[in-house]
């Protein structure tokens, strides 16, 4: 009697183990997918100033609440590199006089100002500084390097701009 129960249990276990179990990777895949989603949410929330190479001027300044469009400007070899707060990257030759090089950057600025205007219109509010541009310019650059960026701001109808400084305590 005992032997037949024992043999019956072994036979059922053997039958159960001989069938392939195809569901076993799904809990691991669900956990892996949740980790990827949570990591994406955390990494997008980091400060947009991380990873830029612009060394801004150190001055006494007051912090602003509403920054607007943040633009980092620095030199990389013989290229002038512009990185925005949403990590869009634009570059053109350092001593350019041809405004064709600025067309993608001007189109980007136009799209950003239109999107901001649309959002404020939907919210039924007016913001004085809704199209302010904040330029984080590297100290090594000269005014002649910044002039094309100022021209692009004018083309995008952004008349309110300022320069970012690192606050000295």
């Amino acid at each position: 009697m005992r032997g037949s129960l024992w043999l019956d249990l072994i036979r059922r276990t053997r039958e159960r183990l001989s069938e392939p179990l195809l569901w076993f990777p799904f809990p691991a895949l669900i956990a892996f997918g949740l980790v990827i989603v949570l990591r994406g949410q955390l990494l997008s929330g980091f400060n947009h100033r991380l990873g830029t190479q612009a060394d801004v001027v150190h001055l006494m300044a007051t912090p602003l609440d509403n920054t607007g469009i943040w633009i980092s400007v620095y030199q990389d070899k013989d290229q002038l590199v512009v990185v925005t707060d949403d990590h869009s990257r634009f570059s053109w030759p350092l001593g350019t006089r041809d405004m064709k090089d600025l067309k993608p950057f001007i189109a980007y600025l136009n799209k950003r100002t239109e999107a901001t205007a649309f959002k404020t219109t939907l919210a039924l509010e007016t913001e004085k500084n809704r199209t302010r541009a904040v330029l984080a310019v590297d100290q090594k650059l000269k005014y002649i390097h910044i002039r094309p960026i100022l021209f692009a701001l004018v083309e995008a109808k952004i008349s309110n701009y300022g320069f970012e400084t690192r606050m000295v305590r």
Side-chain angles (χ1 to χ4, degrees), residues 7-34:
L7 290 174
D8 192 37
L9 281 173
I10 290 175
R11 186 176 36 83
R12 276 190 265 153
T13 305
R14 187 181 300 156
E15 287 174 3
R16 185 174 53 93
L17 292 176
S18 67
E19 294 177 11
L21 298 175
L22 300 177
W23 61 268
F24 75 92
F26 290 113
L29 290 175
I30 290 171
F32 184 69
L34 286 174

Side-chain angles (χ1 to χ4, degrees), residues 7 25 34 66 125 146 157:
L7 290 174
L34 286 174
N66 187 4
E125 60 185 28
I146 307 303
K157 297 174 183 66

Side-chain angles (χ1 to χ4, degrees), residues 14-158:
R14 187 181 300 156
E15 287 174 3
R16 185 174 53 93
L17 292 176
S18 67
E19 294 177 11
L21 298 175
L22 300 177
W23 61 268
F24 75 92
F26 290 113
L29 290 175
I30 290 171
F32 184 69
L34 286 174
V35 167
I36 288 175
V37 168
L38 291 175
R39 184 174 172 212
Q41 292 296 323
L42 290 176
L43 290 180
S44 66
F46 282 148
N47 192 343
H48 56 266
R49 290 174 179 86
L50 290 176
T52 61
Q53 299 174 5
D55 183 24
V56 297
V57 179
H58 300 266
L59 292 173
M60 295 294 290
T62 57
L64 295 175
D65 295 332
N66 187 4
T67 58
I69 302 170
W70 183 82
I71 301 169
S72 172
V73 183
Y74 61 93
Q75 179 181 352
D76 185 25
K77 298 178 184 168
D78 60 343
Q79 296 280 315
L80 187 70
V81 179
V82 174
V83 179
T84 62
D85 53 357
D86 58 355
H87 303 289
S88 297
R89 183 182 167 101
F90 305 94
S91 64
W92 51 81
L94 194 61
T96 187
R97 297 217 182 259
D98 189 11
M99 291 303 132
K100 290 180 195 172
D101 298 334
L102 296 174
K103 292 279 186 201
F105 184 57
I106 294 170
Y108 168 80
L109 289 175
N110 283 327
K111 187 169 49 168
R112 281 286 299 262
T113 54
E114 287 175 9
T116 305
F118 185 70
K119 286 178 187 175
T120 55
T121 303
L122 286 180
L124 296 175
E125 60 185 28
T126 58
E127 247 182 82
K128 178 181 154 188
N129 299 323
R130 68 179 170 86
T131 56
R132 176 190 298 154
V134 178
L135 301 171
V137 179
D138 192 14
Q139 293 182 31
K140 299 172 193 151
L141 295 176
K142 300 191 178 355
Y143 175 72
I144 194 144
H145 302 130
I146 307 303
R147 221 165 53 177
I149 296 169
L150 297 177
F151 176 76
L153 292 175
V154 169
E155 285 290 316
K157 297 174 183 66
I158 299 175

